[in-house]
Amino acid sequence: MSEIAKLSYQGNEYELPVTKGTENEEAIDISKLRGQSGLITLDPGFKNTGSTKSAITFLDGEEGILRYRGYNIEDLAEKSTFLEVSYLLIYGELPTEAEYKKFTKKITKHTLVHEDIKKILDGFPSVAHPMGVLSSLICSLTAFYPNSLDPNNSKEEINLSIVRLLAKLPTFAAWAFKNKVGHPVNYPDNGLDYCSNFLKMMFALPAEKFEPDPVISKALDKLLILHADHEQNCSTSTVRVVGSSQASIYASISAGVNALWGPLHGGANQSVIEMLEAIKDDGGDSKKWLDKAKDKNDPFRLMGFGHRVYKNFDPRAKIIKKAADEVLEKLGIDDPILDIAKELEMAALQDPYFVERKLYPNVDFYSGIIYRALGIPTDMFTVMFALGRLPGWIAQWKEMRENNEPIGRPRQVYVGATERSYVPMDNR
Ligand code: SDX
């Protein structure tokens, strides 16, 4: 028997069921509130509003816990691989060896993209931001695979679209980069693992032999795992809402890429590096920049700090910070902005403004430092985030469809002009 919440208003009392999740989170179910009372709720940014019940990812913002299908992120980052984590998120269980082999074999088979996609790519000027190219190429899959538009796609057809997305995104991402630097694109090398193939498509040059560095491939694989899902964040909510209209999975994922692009969300990893570079160029005075971040009259925010859910350390930031030290040491790179980042973190964590607001480093604070060490250019950082988040977006879209969730359509409180008559232009 579920608990009941009572709402009393203007002499009436309304009973609302309370739902409880497997981690004892409780939510007041208001799905019948308007019918009972004529009232709606208002919650800009949905800070206190749950949009769905999901079995994919669990976050505890106060404790700094992140689990994919019940497995702690620390374990998965240490022991798993990105494609195994992708399978776990999308299908709910860790794959057996046979399932994993079948899954990865299918992905390898679909890494090539239709040759006509190069014509679309060629239409983009080299100044195009790779995120805009990526979302466009993903949406172009609706043209090359029109049967994906059918809202009644079978499980097999949806699984084929899922494989195509996982297989082709690294190709699209690398091609977006090549378009930017004016180099010829590289075709996938199916003899390589997922990350090594991506790195080769990114960095191989016609006249040179390219051997992916296993240290870099492994570091990239870990970063992709850490970004793979994060419950109902901005871009995932976008994927679910777009998919709830029965738009295709390709259109939904393309929308997710665009939502991720914003500097307050996935675009923060690019903004963090730009911020750290600016601090370095400005003489490295962390205190000056912390004061700017605290100044309400200054639009500057400490990028890579703060989080809607985590009011403790983002567990991913801890893992990435440690990996940054390891990767830079292994690659023999001494990047001064890593020291600036650590200094900034230390200063912020002792500053009452950040402590009172429980602002800690988030996933984006250190990730850019590793991407940079891996040779990935700054405006490709958010593309890397999208590569990592893809299985999460897919898993959430699939869950929404399998649960036959209703089309997402929030209410509003109207605050505009009340009724008035039309006035002809010569009388205004
Ligand atoms: C991601 O949702 C997810 O799960 C996202 C993500 C994922 O994996 O999908 O984790 C990935 O998007 C991480 C976040 C990356 N963005 C940034 O690093 C940008 C900088 N951070 C902020 O803009 C901010 O912290 C947000 C957007 C992340 C969260 O904003 P909220 O939850 O809407 O919080 P808020 O803006 O209401 O801030 C609360 C207070 C405010 O001060 P007061 O009005 O109370 O005085 O904290 C302040 C804010 O001004 N604040 C900051 C700050 N973040 C919040 N002040 C200075 N610098 C900051 N970074």
Side-chain angles (χ1 to χ4, degrees), residues 11-242:
N12 298 311
E13 188 166 273
Y14 307 98
E15 293 196 344
L16 299 164
V18 174
T19 191
K20 184 181 274 197
T22 49
E23 291 285 353
N24 296 317
E25 297 163 307
E26 293 183 292
I28 300 172
D29 181 338
I30 58 167
S31 48
K32 295 190 169 47
L33 176 66
R34 190 167 185 274
Q36 286 177 5
S37 68
L39 293 166
I40 64 167
T41 58
L42 187 61
D43 185 19
F46 311 117
K47 294 189 177 188
N48 306 283
T49 299
S51 57
T52 189
K53 293 179 183 176
S54 177
I56 298 168
T57 293
F58 172 68
L59 299 187
D60 181 324
E62 281 63 38
E63 298 301 317
I65 292 171
L66 168 58
R67 296 193 194 118
Y68 297 159
R69 301 283 188 182
Y71 296 95
N72 283 314
I73 191 66
E74 293 81 2
D75 274 354
L76 293 170
E78 197 52 45
K79 301 166 188 161
S80 187
T81 64
F82 177 61
L83 287 185
E84 183 178 70
V85 165
S86 299
Y87 186 100
L88 170 67
L89 286 167
I90 295 166
Y91 298 106
E93 297 296 336
L94 287 169
T96 61
E97 190 172 356
E99 288 166 334
Y100 185 68
K101 278 196 175 128
K102 190 174 164 202
F103 182 62
T104 51
K105 190 159 176 276
K106 278 194 283 185
I107 289 171
T108 303
K109 188 162 159 279
H110 288 273
T111 51
L112 202 58
V113 298
H114 194 292
E115 196 63 9
D116 283 353
I117 285 182
K118 276 172 68 179
K119 292 176 188 154
I120 301 170
L121 184 70
D122 291 345
F124 283 98
S126 57
V127 292
H129 193 291
M131 283 294 275
V133 177
L134 181 66
S135 66
S136 305
L137 296 185
I138 294 169
C139 211
S140 79
L141 293 174
T142 57
F144 293 95
Y145 306 106
N147 62 351
S148 64
L149 299 175
D150 180 355
N152 302 309
N153 268 173
S154 68
K155 200 174 259 186
E156 290 68 31
E157 279 152 335
I158 288 177
N159 283 331
L160 178 55
S161 295
I162 288 172
V163 163
R164 283 181 177 137
L165 280 165
L166 289 166
K168 297 180 193 308
L169 245 74
T171 308
F172 286 163
W175 284 20
F177 169 65
K178 286 302 195 187
N179 181 66
K180 182 161 185 58
V181 294
H183 292 172
V185 296
N186 290 313
Y187 288 92
D189 177 344
N190 289 340
L192 295 173
D193 65 67
Y194 197 80
C195 288
S196 302
N197 172 45
F198 169 70
L199 292 166
K200 183 172 180 182
M201 289 193 286
M202 275 282 285
F203 298 120
L205 292 169
E208 291 167 18
K209 186 166 171 42
F210 181 88
E211 282 302 327
D213 179 333
V215 171
I216 295 182
S217 297
K218 185 156 176 48
L220 183 55
D221 196 83
K222 179 179 277 195
L223 281 169
L224 296 180
I225 289 172
L226 291 167
H227 286 79
D229 192 51
H230 215 241
E231 57 140 273
Q232 305 310 314
N233 59 83
C234 176
S235 53
T236 298
S237 300
T238 301
V239 169
R240 285 183 85 118
V241 167
V242 171

Side-chain angles (χ1 to χ4, degrees), residues 239-285:
V239 169
R240 285 183 85 118
V241 167
V242 171
S244 72
S245 74
Q246 295 195 346
S248 78
I249 191 167
Y250 298 139
S252 304
I253 299 297
S254 175
V257 170
N258 289 309
L260 185 73
W261 195 351
L264 292 188
H265 188 16
N269 54 20
Q270 175 174 344
S271 308
V272 167
I273 293 294
E274 289 161 355
M275 171 185 75
L276 294 171
E277 286 284 10
I279 294 173
K280 179 168 72 81
D281 296 346
D282 183 48
D285 179 356

Side-chain angles (χ1 to χ4, degrees), residues 278-415:
I279 294 173
K280 179 168 72 81
D281 296 346
D282 183 48
D285 179 356
S286 301
K287 184 180 177 322
K288 174 183 167 187
W289 289 79
L290 285 184
D291 291 343
K292 276 171 65 67
K294 298 189 297 188
D295 179 355
K296 291 299 168 201
N297 300 317
D298 189 326
F300 173 75
R301 282 199 157 183
L302 196 63
M303 301 312 280
F305 253 75
H307 199 275
R308 173 60 57 77
V309 174
Y310 290 123
K311 300 308 171 191
N312 192 325
F313 259 90
D314 180 334
R316 302 166 297 176
K318 276 189 199 170
I319 297 168
I320 293 175
K321 180 179 175 182
K322 183 166 169 285
D325 279 328
E326 290 163 2
V327 169
L328 268 66
E329 191 190 341
K330 275 182 190 165
L331 296 176
I333 296 172
D334 175 18
D335 188 343
I337 66 163
L338 177 57
D339 299 331
I340 293 177
K342 288 179 177 176
E343 204 182 289
L344 209 55
E345 175 190 355
M346 202 182 323
L349 296 184
Q350 290 161 11
D351 185 302
Y353 173 93
F354 292 89
V355 173
E356 284 155 18
R357 291 165 177 81
K358 298 181 179 176
L359 304 176
Y360 291 89
N362 59 49
V363 67
D364 294 307
F365 191 62
Y366 286 103
S367 56
I369 291 169
I370 300 185
Y371 289 138
R372 195 158 99 141
L374 302 185
I376 292 165
T378 307
D379 61 5
M380 280 290 291
F381 289 2
T382 313
V383 170
M384 302 310 297
F385 196 145
L387 270 189
R389 186 52 51 89
L390 177 65
W393 286 333
I394 290 170
Q396 300 269 354
W397 184 93
K398 183 170 173 282
E399 180 180 69
M400 176 273 304
R401 277 292 176 85
E402 287 170 351
N403 293 346
N404 292 311
E405 296 199 4
I407 185 169
R409 200 270 186 225
R411 291 276 180 166
Q412 64 161 27
V413 174
Y414 177 70
V415 293

